[in-house]
Amino acid sequence: MIGATGWTSLMPLAPMLVISLTAVMVIIAIALKRSNTAAGTISVAGLNIALVLVIWGALNPLAQMQGVVSSLFVVDSFAQFNMGVILVCALACFTLAHGYIENSTANGLNGQKEELYILMLIATLGALLMACTDHMAAFFVSLELLSVPMYGMLAYTYAREQSLEAGMKYLVLSATASATLLMGMALVYACTGTLSFRQIGMATVNSLQAGMNLPLLVVGAAMMVFAIAFKLSAAPFHTWTPDVYQGAPAPVATFLGSVAKVATLVVGLRFLLTSATLAIPAVQFLLVVIATLSILLGNMLALRERNAKRVLAYSSIAHLGYVLAVVSAVTIESVGFASLYMAVYALTTVGSFGVISIMSSPYQGGEAQTLDDYRGLFWQRPVLTAVLTVMLLSLAGVPLTAGFISKFYAIFATASAQAWWLTAMIIVGSAIGLYYYLNFMVNLFKRADFSREQNTRVYDAVNHWGLQAGGIMVLLVTLAVLYLGIFPEWLSKILLAIKIY
């Protein structure tokens, strides 16, 4: 129940209320007059207002933007940091989506562009609620609020068979994961008699201290971990990832790889820590196995891949392995380290997929997907090549990029917990990853081999791309990745501030 203070008790949820109101305004705007620019502008304005509210609440301790909201949600520094990351990534995805579908004309999509913003706003709302979830019921509802719009978003450019296939695959497999999650929740409830993360934690700690065996809790927690691992595309639940990334529209793949991954990690991390299920040796061992498989399979499968979106998909599997390695280390600092790593990865994903979006369109020419489509890009688009190069170096963990700092923190976290196997896996996985990242990067600087009949690129960015919203966004992301890599003290301050209530 909402407290007696009325609207004051809703202040921590103000960003979510703004996003809800924005979705309603976009629906009304579409009903009055279809305009891609108007719908996009309203969406971006709402996201900016929500982001300002999150930043204001985080910087001003007297702003009444933190606290427990009923028995379902809690807004703490951990939630606020990840809400900020989600909103920044969502803003980037909206700017990319506007440019991506601006000139589409095939199969009547020209009259149906604006609905994409509604789906993305609803999915963003679900992601924000996931960041604050402290209850099983809120966990499932907010997860589905994120997942269900994703089905339509993935298949939005339905005239492309790959896009329709991506939506269908994600629909079937995501529904299976949701059913597994529900069964796990039921078993946990049967063992503890509560759906609250914190009350589950108290019951678990009491049972462990009493030396009791908890088979239902172990099986239930394991099923929930499996479902979360699927949503994170961690191995061995990763097989859908390359196909869905390849078929999805580039801005939607960006959303899936940044907003959806951050939200899922946040709610999974909060559940594992506050419910104390991570203290169960079987659950901890399960996370170590998933992290190890994700690092090895993600990197090994990317070695021979020639499709750029699939390379980034396999890369995401490996990076989720690094994050889960930090989580399974079970240290007090693991919350901050894991959140920081995921934030940097999401920012880098936005930049790398942003370049793909800028060079692609839904139908005219299609999407620039293979590595050959980027061959010799430097000689025609040097600035765009520099952006993609920085993103690839950051993903590889090369010094002077934010990716290096986050990977250093991951190694530090596992080494501090004396989890030497996980430390070794992060180092080995990073060494393997260097090959395909550098292979992609070197391809950008090779001379393009055009045919005699065609002296121009099949896929290319529009002229003056850097003056458009999507281009400005990827340039800002690049500067942020470089700045945080050169001056990492900002990341250190954020690390100290992230706490679970």
Side-chain angles (χ1 to χ4, degrees):
M1 295 292 293
I2 300 298
T5 53
W7 287 105
T8 303
S9 62
L10 291 177
M11 282 300 295
L13 297 181
M16 288 71 113
L17 297 176
V18 169
I19 297 300
S20 303
L21 181 61
T22 303
V24 174
M25 292 178 64
V26 172
I27 293 173
I28 295 173
I30 294 174
L32 294 176
K33 181 181 179 182
R34 284 192 172 273
S35 171
N36 186 36
T37 300
T41 301
I42 294 172
S43 302
V44 170
L47 289 168
N48 275 297
I49 294 172
L51 181 60
V52 169
L53 287 172
V54 170
I55 295 174
W56 177 57
L59 297 180
N60 185 0
L62 301 179
Q64 295 181 329
M65 297 291 285
Q66 291 190 7
V68 177
V69 184
S70 75
S71 60
L72 302 180
F73 302 102
V74 58
V75 178
D76 48 18
S77 59
F78 174 65
Q80 287 180 320
F81 171 75
N82 287 286
M83 286 166 62
V85 174
I86 288 169
L87 288 170
V88 168
C89 293
L91 275 167
C93 295
F94 274 81
T95 58
L96 292 173
H98 179 270
Y100 182 82
I101 65 176
E102 176 66 26
N103 299 318
S104 60
T105 57
N107 292 335
L109 185 63
N110 192 42
Q112 301 173 3
K113 299 174 185 176
E114 297 79 13
E115 281 80 357
L116 179 61
Y117 299 115
I118 301 173
L119 293 174
M120 292 178 72
L121 283 169
I122 295 173
T124 303
L125 175 61
L128 292 175
L129 291 173
M130 286 175 69
C132 307
T133 292
D134 196 39
H135 194 275
M136 293 286 197
F139 182 1
F140 183 76
V141 172
S142 58
L143 177 63
E144 291 307 294
L145 196 60
L146 169 65
S147 298
V148 173
M150 288 297 305
Y151 308 150
M153 290 163 59
L154 291 169
Y156 204 74
T157 53
Y158 52 85
R160 293 171 55 241
E161 291 184 2
Q162 286 184 328
S163 179
L164 200 58
E165 179 186 351
M168 289 299 297
K169 282 185 176 180
Y170 191 78
L171 168 62
V172 174
L173 295 175
S174 180
T176 304
S178 297
T180 304
L181 179 68
L182 273 178
M183 187 62 193
M185 289 179 175
L187 292 176
V188 172
Y189 176 77
C191 181
T192 61
T194 180
L195 294 175
S196 170
F197 289 175
R198 300 178 188 283
Q199 293 178 15
I200 293 171
M202 290 187 288
T204 302
V205 170
N206 293 334
S207 299
L208 291 175
Q209 289 176 347
M212 298 173 58
N213 292 323
L214 302 170
L216 284 181
L217 181 61
V218 172
V219 175
M223 295 184 73
M224 292 185 67
V225 168
F226 292 155
I228 293 170
F230 170 86
K231 298 291 185 178
L232 289 173
S233 69
F237 312 98
H238 66 284
T239 52
W240 62 273
T241 311
D243 293 336
V244 171
Y245 271 58
Q246 181 180 358
V252 177
T254 311
F255 191 95
L256 179 62
S258 56
V259 174
K261 294 290 179 66
V262 171
T264 306
L265 177 72
V266 173
V267 70
L269 187 56
R270 189 185 291 276
F271 164 72
L272 288 171
L273 292 177
T274 58
S275 68
T277 50
L278 196 54
I280 301 174
V283 176
Q284 187 179 0
F285 177 76
L286 185 63
L287 275 179
V288 172
V289 171
I290 293 175
T292 302
L293 289 176
S294 299
I295 293 171
L296 294 179
L297 289 177
N299 283 305
M300 297 296 290
L301 291 172
L303 289 177
R304 297 179 61 84
E305 187 58 62
R306 296 294 300 172
N307 184 289
K309 292 174 76 173
R310 293 177 73 91
V311 167
L312 294 175
Y314 287 126
S315 168
S316 73
I317 298 169
H319 281 279
L320 264 299
Y322 302 144
V323 175
L324 292 178
V326 174
V327 174
S328 57
V330 197
T331 61
I332 298 176
E333 296 84 5
S334 62
V335 173
F337 285 130
S339 298
L340 203 60
Y341 191 101
M342 202 63 205
V344 172
Y345 169 72
L347 196 66
T348 311
T349 297
V350 165
S352 54
F353 271 104
V355 174
I356 295 177
S357 298
I358 289 172
M359 292 190 62
S360 306
S361 67
Y363 302 109
Q364 287 81 13
E367 292 196 349
Q369 293 198 24
T370 67
L371 296 187
D372 292 334
D373 294 331
Y374 296 88
R375 185 183 178 95
L377 182 64
F378 169 76
W379 305 103
Q380 289 183 284
R381 303 289 180 189
V383 178
L384 195 62
T385 302
V387 170
L388 186 54
T389 299
V390 170
M391 296 302 113
L392 293 172
L393 291 176
S394 181
L395 288 171
V398 174
L400 300 183
T401 63
F404 170 76
I405 303 301
S406 63
K407 196 160 289 186
F408 172 80
Y409 281 151
I411 294 174
F412 175 79
T414 53
S416 298
Q418 297 185 352
W420 305 118
W421 171 258
L422 295 173
T423 304
M425 284 297 99
I426 295 175
I427 295 172
V428 170
S430 300
I432 298 173
L434 275 173
Y435 173 80
Y436 58 85
Y437 290 128
L438 294 180
N439 179 51
F440 193 164
M441 188 179 71
V442 169
N443 204 59
L444 301 173
F445 296 90
K446 292 181 179 178
R447 284 289 184 181
D449 186 19
F450 298 125
S451 63
R452 293 181 179 179
E453 295 80 10
Q454 183 174 327
N455 295 319
T456 58
R457 303 187 62 83
V458 177
Y459 305 100
D460 198 4
V462 298
N463 292 326
H464 307 297
W465 62 269
L467 299 179
Q468 298 181 354
I472 295 172
M473 183 276 301
V474 296
L475 291 174
L476 291 175
V477 168
T478 305
L479 292 176
V481 169
L482 288 174
Y483 181 83
L484 293 175
I486 298 172
F487 303 102
E489 60 269 16
W490 281 95
L491 295 178
S492 300
K493 293 178 180 178
I494 293 173
L495 185 65
L496 295 173
I498 299 176
K499 296 288 188 299
I500 286 185
Y501 181 78

